[in-house]
Amino acid sequence: MSSTGSPILFTDRLILRVPEAQDFDAFAAMCADTETMEFIGGAMERSQSWRLFCALVGAWQVTGWSMFSVIERDTSRWVGRIGPWTPEGWPGNEIGWGLAKEFAGKGYALEAAKASMDYAVDILGWEDVMHTIHPDNIGSIRLAERLGATNRGPTQLPVPLQDYRVDNWGQSAADWRARRQSV
């Protein structure tokens, strides 16, 4: 826990903490990247990124959880955002992810997603965890499979995202507990 009572998670190479104002420039740069954002809402202007960033930060105040800022321990660079995400009308309790392009392929998404899964199951008490993934998002599908999730079929996001094609990849907390040591 931080001095403010906010959770801080540590992995071998990463720190997962509540987003801070200093994270916004890197967050906005990630959100502006067309390739990175292809399956997670599309590239955004800086002003749109600001609203999403504030929604993530605000969710911490309203619900007590939201996505973490992921920080590289060795360099203190902002890597991405990963963690619990359950906005109003969402089809379930999700662990979502998005990393800046320069950090892709280093195993950071798996490392941070595992810590987030443990947090959701062990601290938040979630009995089920899902990931909403576009059927063409092969990278996220592979990550979900590595976490042990299975494709439960199409699901629908709330307005204004109701037209996005996504599948519900998920698993029970019991399934996660049984396999997490081998992930």
Side-chain angles (χ1 to χ4, degrees), residues 39 97 109 133-146:
F39 298 114
W97 48 75
I133 303 174
H134 188 283
D136 296 334
N137 188 345
I138 302 304
S140 283
I141 289 170
R142 285 188 186 133
L143 177 56
E145 289 173 335
R146 291 212 42 210

Side-chain angles (χ1 to χ4, degrees), residues 73-181:
R73 286 178 80 161
D74 288 346
T75 65
S76 299
R77 293 187 305 166
W78 188 88
V79 171
R81 44 87 174 151
I82 293 180
W85 186 236
T86 311
E88 178 63 29
W90 216 247
N93 290 326
E94 178 168 20
I95 296 295
W97 48 75
L99 297 182
K101 185 170 27 181
E102 62 266 29
F103 297 103
K106 296 183 177 191
Y108 286 166
L110 179 62
E111 193 172 323
K114 287 170 50 178
S116 295
M117 291 284 292
D118 284 343
Y119 180 77
V121 168
D122 297 339
I123 304 300
L124 299 180
W126 290 4
E127 290 300 320
D128 190 80
V129 179
M130 59 149 344
H131 321 287
T132 56
I133 303 174
H134 188 283
D136 296 334
N137 188 345
I138 302 304
S140 283
I141 289 170
R142 285 188 186 133
L143 177 56
E145 289 173 335
R146 291 212 42 210
L147 292 169
T150 59
N151 188 345
R152 299 170 173 171
T155 192
Q156 187 168 11
L157 301 177
V159 173
L161 309 172
Q162 74 276 7
D163 294 330
Y164 284 20
R165 287 181 47 221
V166 292
D167 289 332
N168 173 345
W169 285 80
Q171 64 187 301
S172 70
D175 287 341
W176 172 248
R177 285 186 194 103
R179 75 170 48 93
R180 66 177 153 193
Q181 297 305 320

